[in-house]
């Protein structure tokens, strides 16, 4: 990959259809700026694989498509320079654990809007709401892919949120109680 950034889009175990559609429409813009690891879920995999096949060979090499990645997703998180993800509870731990800046798209369920705001308020993420995805998602991603300094600042902010000793601190708290 050299100095080119690596973008990871992870829509969760079932993928995220609105995210998949938005990036499919603008693959040229994304692949002009980065290598792209796209974990799309099973529902959209066949259609996205057909879309990938229409790309020129140099772009195909830059676009790695997976229905899911299992344990290899950890390696993708570590290697990535920017992540597009939902804002589930695990995302709050995963992104800071590797200091990964993100564009988060909270689902309108559970605590995702609050989770996204927590990351964004601390400078670790940019929020794009579901209804904004078609018009804003790829523009935000491209802006960040083009701005290594801003990604670096977001990565530092993300890393500062990590609590790798959380289990030990919880044990101490429980013992104290």
């Amino acid at each position: 990959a050299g100095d080119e950034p690596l973008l990871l889009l992870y829509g969760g175990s079932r993928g995220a259809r609105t995210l998949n559609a938005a990036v499919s429409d603008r693959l040229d813009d994304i692949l002009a700026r980065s290598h792209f690891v796209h974990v799309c879920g099973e529902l959209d995999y066949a259609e996205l694989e057909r879309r990938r096949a229409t790309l020129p060979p140099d772009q195909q090499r830059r676009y790695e498509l997976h229905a899911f990645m299992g344990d290899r997703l950890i390696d993708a998180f570590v290697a990535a320079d920017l992540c597009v993800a939902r804002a589930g509870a695990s995302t709050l731990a995963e992104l800071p654990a590797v200091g990964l800046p993100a564009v988060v798209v909270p689902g309108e369920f559970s605590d995702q809007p609050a989770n996204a705001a927590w990351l964004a308020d601390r400078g670790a993420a940019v929020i794009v709401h579901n209804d904004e995805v078609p018009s804003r998602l790829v523009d935000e991603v491209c802006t960040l892919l083009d701005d290594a300094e801003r990604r670096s600042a977001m990565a530092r902010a993300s890393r500062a949120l990590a609590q790798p000793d959380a289990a030990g601190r919880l044990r101490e708290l429980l013992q104290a109680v």
Side-chain angles (χ1 to χ4, degrees), residues 5 26 38 42 47 65 68-69 81 96 111-113 122-123 133 158 162:
R26 303 261 316 266
H38 185 179
E42 289 187 39
E47 181 180 331
L65 183 65
F68 58 94
M69 289 186 78
D81 296 291
D111 296 326
Q112 289 203 15
R122 287 155 180 81
V133 166
S158 181

Side-chain angles (χ1 to χ4, degrees), residues 86-158:
R86 289 296 186 180
S90 63
T91 305
L92 292 181
E94 292 161 349
L95 297 174
V98 295
L100 185 54
V103 177
V104 288
V105 184
E108 276 111 32
F109 42 85
S110 71
D111 296 326
Q112 289 203 15
N115 294 347
W118 189 82
L119 288 169
D121 290 349
R122 287 155 180 81
V126 171
I127 298 172
V128 174
H129 295 284
N130 256 342
D131 58 345
E132 301 172 317
V133 166
S135 61
R136 255 189 81 213
L137 178 67
V138 176
D139 288 341
E140 289 291 344
V141 166
C142 289
T143 296
L144 287 167
L145 288 172
D146 289 342
D147 192 343
E149 209 170 289
R150 184 166 173 215
R151 281 196 326 271
S152 182
M154 290 173 71
R156 285 191 301 275
S158 181

Side-chain angles (χ1 to χ4, degrees), residues 1-6 33 35 81 145 148 151:
D3 289 338
E4 293 178 328
L6 176 66
R33 292 168 168 83
H35 288 260
D81 296 291
L145 288 172
R151 281 196 326 271

